[in-house]
Amino acid sequence: MAIKILVVDDSLEATWLLKRALTEESYEVEVANNGIDGLRLAFNFRPDLVLLDVMMPDMDGWTALRRLREFSEVPVVMLTAVGGERSLVQGRDSGADDYVTKPYGMEELKARIRAVLRRRGISPS
């Protein structure tokens, strides 16, 4: 059974690229382009990991993460254009498992995904 990843990002280009790259790694990938749809998908799709953008309209990633934590302990990697120690600390304190600043290298992101999954005891079959 494939590991399931949910990508939540308002950038259609980013979600398309991530879905393509992660599908090539044999992950099952679903995408949402806003926090509200992301929460619905998280509830129904039951991902093994969520990639969650911080800066989205209507519901930002911080709010989506807080709401996600009300019903799930799924590992979350925050994706953001906002760098700096303050944002990193906010991400970790909000319940994120990792925090990646844009622009990021795809290989680095894949390595971080593997590391977070390993820490949670999830590995490819």
Side-chain angles (χ1 to χ4, degrees), residues 3-51:
I3 293 173
K4 300 189 301 186
I5 296 179
L6 172 60
V7 177
V8 185
D9 194 315
D10 62 322
S11 166
L12 297 175
E13 180 181 3
T15 56
W16 182 84
L17 289 171
L18 285 167
K19 183 171 184 169
R20 181 174 172 211
L22 296 173
T23 299
E24 288 174 357
E25 298 290 320
S26 299
Y27 294 113
E28 181 180 345
V29 181
E30 290 288 334
V31 299
N33 295 110
N34 62 64
I36 295 167
D37 289 344
L39 288 172
R40 283 190 197 114
L41 263 174
F43 186 79
N44 294 315
F45 179 57
R46 299 289 183 194
D48 297 300
L49 182 130
V50 175
L51 296 176

Side-chain angles (χ1 to χ4, degrees), residues 2 6 11 14 22 27 35-36 49 51-52 59 63 70 78 92 107-109 113-114 117-118 120:
L6 172 60
S11 166
L22 296 173
Y27 294 113
I36 295 167
L49 182 130
L51 296 176
L52 180 60
M59 179 186 293
T63 303
E70 292 173 7
M78 302 300 287
R92 294 296 176 109
E107 293 307 311
E108 177 188 358
L109 180 60
I113 288 169
R114 290 189 301 269
L117 291 171
R118 263 194 318 273
R120 290 293 185 106

Side-chain angles (χ1 to χ4, degrees), residues 56-124:
M56 295 182 291
D58 300 325
M59 179 186 293
D60 66 23
W62 303 125
T63 303
L65 178 59
R66 281 192 303 278
R67 292 197 179 156
L68 178 64
R69 288 292 176 241
E70 292 173 7
F71 66 88
S72 177
E73 288 300 317
V74 64
V76 175
V77 176
M78 302 300 287
L79 305 175
T80 182
V82 179
E85 183 179 21
R86 183 174 171 190
S87 293
L88 175 66
V89 169
Q90 182 178 4
R92 294 296 176 109
D93 285 348
S94 296
D97 295 87
D98 203 350
Y99 187 94
V100 180
T101 304
K102 296 176 182 180
Y104 48 81
M106 191 59 70
E107 293 307 311
E108 177 188 358
L109 180 60
K110 290 178 192 176
R112 287 174 179 257
I113 288 169
R114 290 189 301 269
V116 169
L117 291 171
R118 263 194 318 273
R119 285 194 301 271
R120 290 293 185 106
I122 302 167
S123 62

